[in-house]
Amino acid sequence: MTWSWAAAGFRAIGKDNDSIVTDADTDLLIVGSGFFGLTIAERAATQLGLKATIIERRGHIGGNAYSEIDPETGIEYHKYGAHLFHTSNERVWEYVNQFTSFTNYQHRVYATHNGEVFPLPINLGTVNQFFRAAYGPDEARALIAEQAQELGGKEPENLEEKAISLIGRPLYEAFIKGYTAKQWQTAPTKLSPEIITRLPVRYTYDNHYFKDTHEGLPVDGYTPWLERMADHPNIEVRLNTDFFDESQPLNKTAMAGKVPIVYTGPIDRYFDHTLGALSWRTLDFEKEVKPTGDFQGCAVMNYSDEDVPFTRIHEFRHFHPERDYQTEKTLIMREYSRFAGGGDEPYYPVNTPEDREKLEGYRKLAEAEPNVLFGGRLGTYKYLDMHMAIGSALSRFDNVVRGWFA
């Protein structure tokens, strides 16, 4: 039997709908329907009674957290890569539980290196398997400490040296070097040491990926959760609507300065790249249906070796073992990483020294924009997990948006 979800009460209006929203019809314009924008809209509607209009460039709600059902297998998959919810922020946890309940899923990752599978993050099991040993915690700790002394006290000048100073060369070359080179499309010797501040090695056999108080996946999927956040009579979502497209009425030229705006797109795009384009990484995904009930035995398998072109494979059936998915076929998705070009979807800020210099300039321009709040991963040029985006939105709603309508 295939698994499916029921349609939520949420309804979105497409760009070509005859109903046109003007600046007189809304109290707050929100650009982007990811978690930051949805949280602001929901709070504005329910706490302040405001009419909030969300415009979304894509054809669906939810930004990169969006998920859908694969028609061939009936398996829910995360269209833009695996999204795992976890948090230790009690306010965020209480907030999200208004819209969904969560499974007890705990994320675990494995890595393939030289044809062998190892548990991640690096832990006592990884160390003993890699070195073909039976070290106890103290012996393993002493071994890694010895290997990490290779630089002899020299200040690391690049990512490779920084990683070696943290976990030693053997583990670095096995699990970090190739993966990082693929992820950044740059040799680790040419990447800043600031990219990694720590590479923990656990001296137990625990390979539970996150250490937060709360963890799980939405019981009936991400999209129903996202749609429930927008399911309020004061919230309107307009899909396929580009903020910078002046052929539609809710564009930047028409709306800026006339209605408060929450902007969650790329901050450099808002200012027409006046100070130069910030650099981003993007991801490419390759879906494939396999004629088996289980392809790899786990949700995520990293591929550490540089001669494998993709960074990891997701097998989405393993995110929800409680569901009654059919067992004749399974859905996998390979993930590739590269620098984003002009027409690519930005995912992660590269954050070079040149980027940080430009960002400072953009932040000053943002501060001068009246009644515009820049938020989310793209609007702040920061990598934010889902719970961080939601927590930031709750805080900015209290400290900024409320003040606009006080």
Side-chain angles (χ1 to χ4, degrees), residues 219-347:
V219 168
D220 53 0
Y222 276 101
T223 295
W225 170 12
L226 295 159
E227 291 181 345
R228 287 187 200 109
M229 293 181 72
D231 185 17
H232 189 281
N234 283 3
I235 298 175
E236 181 175 16
V237 179
R238 298 184 68 84
L239 303 177
N240 301 306
T241 304
D242 188 341
F243 185 53
F244 302 101
D245 177 9
E246 296 194 1
S247 70
Q248 62 87 18
L250 300 179
N251 63 77
K252 179 187 174 185
T253 301
M255 303 300 285
K258 299 182 178 66
V259 63
I261 295 172
V262 175
Y263 176 80
T264 68
I267 187 172
D268 53 344
R269 177 67 183 92
Y270 183 93
F271 295 105
D272 200 25
H273 304 108
T274 303
L275 305 178
L278 296 170
S279 50
W280 302 84
R281 283 192 303 114
T282 191
L283 299 176
D284 297 314
F285 301 101
E286 180 183 87
K287 280 199 311 167
E288 184 181 356
V289 173
K290 292 286 190 180
T292 178
D294 193 346
F295 174 73
Q296 64 186 18
C298 64
V300 178
M301 177 71 71
N302 286 5
Y303 285 80
S304 302
D305 302 331
E306 202 168 351
D307 58 355
V308 178
F310 44 86
T311 54
R312 52 186 177 172
I313 293 179
H314 311 274
E315 186 173 8
F316 290 99
R317 72 180 314 115
H318 293 290
F319 287 124
H320 287 280
E322 78 283 359
R323 292 180 181 171
D324 187 23
Y325 286 140
Q326 53 92 6
T327 57
E328 291 75 30
K329 299 176 182 178
T330 192
L331 179 70
I332 67 168
M333 189 163 74
R334 298 176 185 87
E335 181 176 316
Y336 301 80
S337 177
R338 59 182 173 82
F339 281 106
D344 291 322
E345 197 69 45
Y347 277 79

Side-chain angles (χ1 to χ4, degrees), residues 98-371:
Q98 296 178 70
F99 310 103
T100 185
S101 53
F102 289 85
T103 68
N104 60 1
Y105 175 83
Q106 292 190 337
H107 193 47
R108 287 177 168 81
V109 174
Y110 296 85
T112 295
H113 165 63
N114 280 349
E116 190 172 350
V117 175
F118 297 83
L120 291 180
I122 297 171
N123 59 74
L124 194 56
T126 318
V127 171
N128 279 330
Q129 183 179 346
F130 182 77
F131 290 106
R132 298 295 189 264
Y135 297 126
D138 290 342
E139 295 169 302
R141 190 177 284 106
L143 172 68
I144 302 306
E146 179 184 352
Q147 293 177 344
Q149 296 303 311
E150 179 181 320
L151 298 183
K154 173 193 172 187
E155 186 68 22
E157 297 179 2
N158 54 57
L159 184 147
E160 178 168 292
E161 291 182 351
K162 178 70 172 179
I164 290 170
S165 74
L166 294 170
I167 63 172
R169 182 176 292 276
L171 292 175
Y172 159 73
E173 291 190 342
F175 301 109
I176 308 299
K177 183 178 181 178
Y179 191 89
T180 300
K182 291 187 294 186
Q183 192 174 42
W184 291 91
Q185 296 293 291
T186 304
T189 53
K190 296 182 179 179
L191 291 171
S192 169
E194 298 170 0
I195 291 176
I196 54 169
T197 56
R198 56 193 297 268
L199 280 172
V201 177
R202 295 179 185 167
Y203 296 101
T204 69
Y205 289 96
D206 177 19
N207 72 323
H208 178 200
Y209 203 77
F210 302 116
K211 290 297 186 181
D212 284 298
T213 307
H214 306 289
E215 179 182 359
L217 292 172
V219 168
D220 53 0
Y222 276 101
T223 295
W225 170 12
L226 295 159
E227 291 181 345
R228 287 187 200 109
M229 293 181 72
D231 185 17
H232 189 281
N234 283 3
I235 298 175
E236 181 175 16
V237 179
R238 298 184 68 84
L239 303 177
N240 301 306
T241 304
D242 188 341
F243 185 53
F244 302 101
D245 177 9
E246 296 194 1
S247 70
Q248 62 87 18
L250 300 179
N251 63 77
K252 179 187 174 185
T253 301
M255 303 300 285
K258 299 182 178 66
V259 63
I261 295 172
V262 175
Y263 176 80
T264 68
I267 187 172
D268 53 344
R269 177 67 183 92
Y270 183 93
F271 295 105
D272 200 25
H273 304 108
T274 303
L275 305 178
L278 296 170
S279 50
W280 302 84
R281 283 192 303 114
T282 191
L283 299 176
D284 297 314
F285 301 101
E286 180 183 87
K287 280 199 311 167
E288 184 181 356
V289 173
K290 292 286 190 180
T292 178
D294 193 346
F295 174 73
Q296 64 186 18
C298 64
V300 178
M301 177 71 71
N302 286 5
Y303 285 80
S304 302
D305 302 331
E306 202 168 351
D307 58 355
V308 178
F310 44 86
T311 54
R312 52 186 177 172
I313 293 179
H314 311 274
E315 186 173 8
F316 290 99
R317 72 180 314 115
H318 293 290
F319 287 124
H320 287 280
E322 78 283 359
R323 292 180 181 171
D324 187 23
Y325 286 140
Q326 53 92 6
T327 57
E328 291 75 30
K329 299 176 182 178
T330 192
L331 179 70
I332 67 168
M333 189 163 74
R334 298 176 185 87
E335 181 176 316
Y336 301 80
S337 177
R338 59 182 173 82
F339 281 106
D344 291 322
E345 197 69 45
Y347 277 79
Y348 305 110
V350 176
N351 206 19
T352 64
E354 293 77 15
D355 289 320
R356 289 193 290 274
E357 184 177 346
K358 293 175 189 175
L359 181 61
E360 282 304 308
Y362 282 124
R363 284 175 174 167
K364 290 177 182 177
L365 292 176
E367 290 169 2
E369 284 288 291
N371 290 350

